Amino acid sequence: MLTLIEIDCRYNGHAAVRGLGMHVTPGNLVCLLGPSGCGKTTVLRAIAGFHALSEGEILLKGRQVSRPGFTLPPEQRHLGMVFQDYALFPHLNVAENVGFGLRAIPQTEKRAVIAELLDTVGLGGLDRRYPHELSGGQQQRVALARALAPKPDLILMDEPFSNLDVEFRERLSGEVRDILKQQGITAVLVTHDQNEAFALGDKVGVMHEGRLLQWDTPYNLYHEPACRFVADFIGQGVFLNGTLVAPDTVQTEIGMCKGNRAYPWGKDAPIEVLFRPDDIVPDPDSPLRGKVTQKAFKGAEFLYTLQLPTGGHVLSLFPSHADHPVGATVGIRVEADHLVAFPRA
Amino acid sequence: MMRGALRVGLSVVVLLGLTGCAGDFRYNWQWSILTCTSENIDAGCIGPYFYWILQGLWWTIAVASAAWVIAFSLGSVIGILRTLDKPILVVVPFVKSPIYFRTRWIGTSKGIITVDVGWFLHGFANIYVTVFRNVPLLVQLFLWYFVFPELVPHDAGMWLKRDLPFPEVSTAIFCLGLYTASRVAEQVRAGINSISRGQQYAAMAIGLTPVQVYRYVLLPVSFRIIIPPLTSDFLGVFKNSSLALTIGVLELTAMTRQIEEYSYAGFEAFTAATVLYIGVTAIVMGAMRIVEARVRIPGMISLQAK
């Protein structure tokens, strides 16, 4: 459906995107995730045709739409776009906004399409309202309906839920995923919020400084980060220094840990090992003890910051009823299926 | 609103009257001078002067309205041209180039020469606004009336000087229109630029061509946003039309001065002119308010509820 081959984008002289490639299969929902300024929005604009390429090419349904020196105009790409600030047309009401992209079809048919789309996004009956009379979430639903109306091949979403309240954000992103999946629409979403990316994306690409660092499923991004930046950026966790004592065994201050793979570095190589909060589990009988220095109640669970006897800190998830005061000592055990390590810099 | 303008108008009259009564300012107001007819010729009156004033008013309205038509249409085009940010490439027909070259506005590829028309249009609009906005209106008026006919080819100059119908009025309309167009252009440009980029992107992604983006998104919104500053320019045209007296247009101010010269009743004549100017502009203001309320974007421009 969409293929990006080694694209480079320049923005006022500096390279905003460097050597980025990705492939999106039809019906898939993919996310580009990264901190602000990482170039993810530039990629989206390049796909939409708002931004020219300086290297590489973009293929849409097998057709070359961008290459250096040629950019197929956005209006000929048959895309839908949804923006962070909704970008509804303020002088048009909801029905007119949704029907905006339907210029060539007869009025009666148009009205039917609009009504159907508004039902799909859960806004039936609001067709005479103006954008300012709607809440942010409703406006974004209208924007989605407007983008869906011309039956685009691909929908591009630029931080679509960032302006919404947190709880509402999750609900709407779930609904949007359902709608897109139902209609079998391919979509690329750009966000800096990993919860959103994980909730929506079949595949997620993590970007940093214009490069795509890892292109993988949310599960693998969390459990098998390909580099130090991804490991840091995705989820919580700490790195503990250690050394390699056998190809698949590391020695850290939390003890000897056996990984699920052979590491490529030689014996005694200095490494850093990633421990996620869910890798450290409570075990009252364990000889390994940690002192609670911070705790955060998350409802279903506690996130404890524990100080090891050797001085290092780890994060650990405890069940919700295991309420230990700060300063208490608790028994813990490492239970990591995926032991991810990086050479120490 | 109209009552408000009336109130202002009345207070001006009252103020003038009061200054007339106050302090050392002694003036014998003779309002009848405006209405007297030629029968009182021995009293030095060849009036009715009020008729002169109405004639002047007619020319003021005619010059200003015609100039506004030019200003609004030309200014809109110039303003839109100033917002062009993409090249508009046009292939030069029938001409092939054996060499490859590329500059900002012209380039070749495979021997075909393309010209970026957008670059020229944008540049023209920028120069236009710079020139017409920065030269004093009075100087522009003199340049068009006295200098321009000498600069053009001889025959055209002769036509301008000899055969142009209503030469003073035409020149005044033309000059005032071109000057105000530069101001309108700036309002239009500002209005278009004030619309968030996302609106354009959204429209283009949906499948609108750049021309359609302007037609259905940028212009409908921006013109509604800029109604208040456009009203100021519309009023400005009426006020600036008084400068046309310097090249001999017998508009309201010129007529007023003429009455003063004939009758020495300058204060009465200028008071009448002031009231009429305020009256006309009040009508324009009221009309523009109605337009603004009619087309306003819901939730965007907050008009006070009356």
Side-chain angles (χ1 to χ4, degrees):
Chain A
M1 173 59 76
L2 171 71
T3 309
L4 274 60
I5 303 171
E6 295 294 305
I7 66 160
D8 270 28
C9 289
R10 310 201 137 265
Y11 217 71
N12 300 331
H14 82 269
V17 176
R18 286 178 287 182
L20 184 138
M22 65 184 206
H23 179 73
V24 185
T25 47
N28 250 5
L29 254 163
V30 304
C31 292
L32 286 174
L33 175 66
S36 41
C38 71
K40 53 192 193 299
T41 299
T42 308
V43 174
L44 205 69
R45 291 194 178 156
I47 297 172
F50 298 130
H51 209 304
L53 297 186
S54 52
E55 287 298 330
E57 56 181 306
I58 296 176
L59 305 171
L60 205 59
K61 280 181 122 179
R63 176 181 175 210
Q64 192 182 50
V65 292
S66 283
R67 64 169 182 268
F70 169 77
T71 311
L72 186 74
E75 68 268 18
Q76 292 172 29
R77 296 190 175 208
H78 210 55
L79 303 168
M81 262 190 115
V82 176
F83 300 87
Q84 181 175 359
D85 63 351
Y86 324 128
L88 294 181
F89 305 123
H91 59 303
L92 305 176
N93 65 29
V94 168
E96 289 165 332
N97 262 289
V98 175
F100 195 78
L102 306 170
R103 307 211 152 263
I105 70 170
Q107 274 299 323
T108 44
E109 203 179 316
K110 189 166 157 178
R111 234 172 277 143
V113 172
I114 293 170
E116 193 193 321
L117 276 168
L118 284 179
D119 277 341
T120 309
V121 298
L123 289 179
L126 294 184
D127 50 339
R128 296 273 151 248
R129 297 273 191 94
Y130 278 88
H132 79 282
E133 297 169 316
L134 303 176
S135 70
Q138 288 174 323
Q139 289 192 45
Q140 199 56 296
R141 285 159 194 263
V142 176
L144 181 67
R146 180 180 69 180
L148 289 172
K151 300 211 184 321
D153 298 324
L154 179 69
I155 289 224
L156 305 174
M157 296 193 272
D158 188 2
E159 307 250 0
F161 310 115
S162 299
N163 278 5
L164 305 174
D165 299 336
V166 178
E167 52 187 306
F168 194 66
R169 196 183 294 176
E170 282 175 19
R171 213 176 80 201
L172 187 62
S173 58
E175 284 178 30
V176 166
R177 187 184 158 83
D178 290 346
I179 293 169
L180 294 176
K181 282 289 169 190
Q182 259 168 33
Q183 314 224 340
I185 288 168
T186 318
V188 179
L189 179 134
V190 152
T191 182
H192 64 266
D193 180 343
Q194 50 174 299
N195 293 327
E196 209 171 289
F198 282 10
L200 274 156
D202 297 319
K203 282 247 178 129
V204 176
V206 179
M207 284 189 69
H208 180 54
E209 291 181 344
R211 292 184 188 282
L212 187 64
L213 298 181
Q214 192 172 354
W215 173 250
D216 222 326
T217 60
Y219 183 89
N220 279 352
L221 283 178
Y222 187 79
H223 289 298
E224 301 283 351
C227 63
R228 183 68 214 255
F229 179 83
V230 175
D232 254 342
F233 186 70
I234 302 287
Q236 287 172 307
V238 291
F239 283 96
L240 291 181
N241 289 338
T243 49
L244 215 52
V245 293
D248 65 344
T249 311
V250 294
Q251 172 70 49
T252 66
E253 60 181 284
I254 208 167
M256 192 89 80
C257 299
K258 197 168 157 55
N260 55 340
R261 73 204 74 185
Y263 299 101
W265 311 291
K267 192 171 172 346
D268 293 331
I271 55 170
E272 285 177 304
V273 186
L274 170 68
F275 290 98
R276 298 285 192 200
D278 49 308
D279 293 337
I280 315 278
V281 296
D283 182 358
D285 305 327
S286 166
L288 182 63
R289 321 286 298 177
K291 201 173 96 185
V292 177
T293 56
Q294 265 180 46
K295 63 179 202 176
F297 184 54
K298 304 271 188 188
E301 62 218 351
F302 270 108
L303 178 67
Y304 284 108
T305 307
L306 303 173
Q307 190 178 29
L308 300 170
T310 42
H313 287 85
V314 289
L315 298 172
S316 175
L317 281 181
F318 276 48
S320 180
H321 52 77
D323 189 4
H324 302 286
V326 171
T329 309
V330 293
I332 47 171
R333 167 165 58 85
V334 178
E335 197 179 282
D337 293 335
H338 312 261
L339 203 60
V340 177
F342 300 102
R344 219 181 303 163
Chain B
M1 210 293 308
M2 287 303 288
R3 275 206 308 274
L6 202 65
R7 220 159 36 223
V8 175
L10 277 176
S11 23
V12 170
V13 178
V14 171
L15 197 71
L16 283 172
L18 282 179
T19 33
C21 310
D24 286 340
F25 185 82
R26 286 175 199 287
Y27 182 75
N28 188 17
W29 292 89
Q30 280 185 293
W31 291 105
S32 59
I33 200 96
L34 294 177
T35 49
C36 71
T37 56
S38 48
E39 277 128 50
N40 328 61
I41 199 151
D42 47 325
C45 171
I46 57 162
Y49 292 127
F50 199 73
Y51 180 64
W52 291 19
I53 288 182
L54 286 182
Q55 259 186 328
L57 181 66
W58 152 247
W59 280 116
T60 290
I61 291 173
V63 168
S65 311
W68 180 248
V69 171
I70 295 176
F72 185 73
S73 26
L74 182 67
S76 303
V77 174
I78 301 268
I80 291 167
L81 290 182
R82 288 201 78 189
T83 62
L84 295 183
D85 54 356
K86 283 208 197 67
I88 301 170
L89 297 176
V90 173
V91 175
V92 181
F94 310 122
V95 185
K96 291 261 176 185
S97 165
I99 53 163
Y100 177 87
F101 58 96
R102 178 164 291 279
T103 63
R104 176 73 184 74
W105 54 87
I106 183 166
T108 57
S109 157
K110 296 172 194 150
I112 295 165
I113 303 176
T114 50
V115 175
D116 181 0
V117 178
W119 189 85
F120 285 100
L121 292 175
H122 191 260
F124 164 75
N126 285 350
I127 293 169
Y128 182 94
V129 170
T130 310
V131 169
F132 283 87
R133 206 161 58 133
N134 293 331
V135 176
L137 179 55
L138 191 57
V139 175
Q140 289 187 34
L141 203 55
F142 287 166
L143 285 175
W144 284 120
Y145 193 64
F146 299 114
V147 182
F148 182 68
E150 310 298 333
L151 294 179
V152 294
H154 183 256
D155 289 350
M158 282 310 285
W159 184 84
L160 282 175
K161 284 185 267 191
R162 212 176 44 198
D163 303 326
L164 181 69
F166 299 102
E168 304 88 2
V169 175
S170 308
T171 310
I173 290 172
F174 185 65
C175 169
L176 198 53
L178 294 191
Y179 165 78
T180 313
S182 69
R183 300 180 53 100
V184 172
E186 281 302 275
Q187 318 285 15
V188 171
R189 180 178 73 100
I192 292 173
N193 286 345
S194 74
I195 299 170
S196 81
R197 199 93 185 151
Q199 299 261 314
Q200 265 185 70
Y201 284 159
M204 283 160 82
I206 286 172
L208 268 68
T209 63
V211 173
Q212 286 175 321
V213 173
Y214 273 94
R215 164 72 185 80
Y216 295 108
V217 178
L218 297 181
L219 297 184
V221 177
S222 61
F223 270 105
R224 294 173 208 208
I225 295 174
I226 62 170
I227 288 175
L230 274 188
T231 306
S232 295
D233 285 333
F234 199 179
L235 299 179
V237 162
F238 280 94
K239 292 177 283 178
N240 288 339
S241 70
S242 63
L243 284 182
L245 76 88
T246 55
I247 58 168
V249 178
L250 288 174
E251 47 67 68
L252 186 51
T253 309
M255 281 303 199
T256 313
R257 281 164 49 112
Q258 206 171 11
I259 293 170
E260 183 190 21
E261 273 157 28
Y262 274 84
S263 67
Y264 305 104
F267 284 11
E268 289 85 346
F270 274 106
T271 306
T274 305
V275 171
L276 284 175
Y277 272 120
I278 290 175
V280 171
T281 49
I283 290 168
V284 171
M285 270 164 63
M288 292 297 270
R289 275 289 184 96
I290 291 167
V291 172
E292 192 182 340
R294 278 274 166 82
V295 303
R296 78 196 184 94
I297 296 166
M300 213 171 195
I301 300 164
S302 57
L303 272 182
Q304 295 160 280
K306 275 257 166 185

